[in-house]
Amino acid sequence: MTTEISPRERLAAQLAEAVAGALSADLEQQPRALLVVSGGSTPVTFFARLAAMALPWERIDVTLADERWVGEDNADSNARLVREQLLVGPAAAAKFHPLTSDEATPEQGAAAVAERIAKLPWPASAVILGMGGDGHTASLFPDSGELGLALTTDEAVVAVRAPSVPQPRITLSAAYLHRARRHILHIVGDNKRSVLARALAGDDARELPIRAFLACPLAVYWAP
């Protein structure tokens, strides 16, 4: 008796194979490779699949597209998610670079985090983006006062606050998110597909920030 896998599980497996292939290809040409991932519930199955891949993980750096300014033991921490779901088994040998520091606020910690991130082996092999129902990606929120800065600055990171989210955040800037050989959007559900369709029909990234990445080109991995 065979167990049928769901479309979302199949999508996660396909994405893991694609990312592993990208990392392998780049590591044939350079000593280290960088992977930028996103948090949330959508990538959990993808993380599990990727963690099991036979890669030279000791040569791979991993960081986040964005982070809530909370401790790494906090349930809302993207770093905690990555450590528990991706950096396990063979993938535990990868080097993880968090987006937080011991400073009380992201505004206070941004400079130190930016210095850390700028030292990574850019361009990244891949940036894996998610997207919210409001069209945000990373922590580029349409209702954030820092959105314009995050979309235009050459700095590595931007401290972000938005009425729509409870915690202050820090995000890679659009410029740094663009510094990748491959851009991938991983989304599930009909609602997200509808939001993406709206984004494709316009060009104002301040309304739907995912639009800032539609011309990268962007590979879309979607399942119902």
Side-chain angles (χ1 to χ4, degrees), residues 34-174:
L34 173 62
L35 174 64
V36 182
V37 298
S38 297
S41 59
T42 299
V44 170
T45 305
F46 157 63
F47 286 164
R49 294 280 188 164
L50 184 60
M53 293 288 179
L55 290 165
W57 286 102
E58 70 281 359
R59 296 170 56 200
I60 295 173
D61 294 280
V62 178
T63 194
L64 288 156
D66 70 317
E67 178 63 284
R68 299 169 181 87
W69 200 261
V70 296
E72 286 195 32
D73 59 345
N74 190 293
D76 290 333
S77 168
N78 286 338
R80 176 177 175 174
L81 175 73
V82 168
R83 291 187 189 281
E84 292 181 352
Q85 303 296 332
L86 175 58
L87 303 180
V88 295
K95 185 170 180 58
F96 179 61
H97 305 269
L99 293 187
T100 55
S101 72
D102 292 333
E103 297 290 349
T105 69
E107 290 82 5
Q108 292 171 319
V113 174
E115 183 177 0
R116 181 191 310 156
I117 296 305
K119 293 177 180 177
L120 296 179
W122 300 94
S125 291
V127 167
I128 316 299
L129 297 170
M131 184 185 69
D134 60 356
H136 86 265
T137 190
S139 280
L140 308 180
F141 292 95
D143 64 338
S144 169
E146 293 76 35
L147 177 60
L149 176 63
L151 289 172
T152 58
T153 185
D154 290 329
E155 294 295 323
V157 300
V158 176
V160 171
R161 295 174 187 265
S164 58
V165 293
Q167 301 112 329
R169 301 192 179 206
I170 191 164
T171 186
L172 295 189
S173 66

